[in-house]
Structure formats: C-alpha cells, structure tokens
Amino acid sequence: MESDYIPVLIQILAAIFMGGAIVLASHIFGQRAKANKLKNSAYECGISPEGQPHPRFGARYYLAAMLFVIFDIEIVFMIPLAMSYSDLASDGLPMLLPVLFFIAVIAIGMLYELKKGALNWNIPKTN
C-alpha cells in the first residue's frame, strides 16, 4: 500500500528540487548591476514612455474571471462521475440523486449570478 505513494513522493521531491534550483540559479546568474532610473525604465525604441504602462481593469473583469474559475472547478468534479457512469448506472436512483443535486446547485448558482448581473459587461455611464 505504501509503495503506491512512492511516485507521488518522487514528484513532490522533484518539484521542490526544481523550484529551489531555479531560484538558486537566478541568484547566481542574475544581474548584478546597480539600478538607476534609465535601467529601470521600459525600453520603447529610444522614445520615452508616456502615460501609464498598464491599463487598469474594472472589477467586473475580475468578478467574471472568479466566476469562471468557480464554475469550471465544479464541472471538473463532474468528470469522474461521467467516466465511471457505466459502473454507477447499476446502482440506479441512489447514485443519480447526488448527481442531480450537484447539477441543481450549479444551475441555481448560475441563475443567481445572471439575476444579479454579474456577467453583464454593459457598464452604466455615470454623469
């Protein structure tokens, strides 16, 4: 039973080693020059940069992104159920009820977000 976890342990150790090696290589081979205003400025083909370098995103963008991640993760939890459906179909209704409940929770959450206008990209104009 413990031998089943050896590949996972090797993967974790390899990830820790690679992360540490990359950070160490960055410190060893990284730039050592002193920072000044000219070196820290963005290179724009010899022209001084004007304005803000990065546009600001509205809160609606981040809200839509978070909602996408939440619903995407919920759908990912449905993949094991879909993959093992033939094994679970023999159980009949007792296995179908939790799946239908999960789908109902996802649908109610989506309807709530649509009702609140979280996915509405039309920004009202203020005077």
Side-chain angles (χ1 to χ4, degrees), residues 51-73:
Q52 293 181 346
H54 301 287
R56 301 186 87 190
F57 292 102
R60 290 179 184 267
Y61 172 78
Y62 295 109
L63 179 63
M66 286 188 291
L67 289 173
F68 173 77
V69 169
I70 289 170
F71 284 109
D72 191 46
I73 290 172

Side-chain angles (χ1 to χ4, degrees), residues 42 44 47-54:
E44 296 283 339
I47 300 172
S48 298
E50 296 177 4
Q52 293 181 346
H54 301 287

Side-chain angles (χ1 to χ4, degrees), residues 73-83 99-100 102-103 106:
I73 290 172
E74 288 179 355
I75 295 301
V76 165
F77 283 130
M78 300 266 315
I79 291 174
L81 291 171
M83 297 301 288
V99 173
L100 291 176
F102 189 73
I103 291 172
I106 292 172

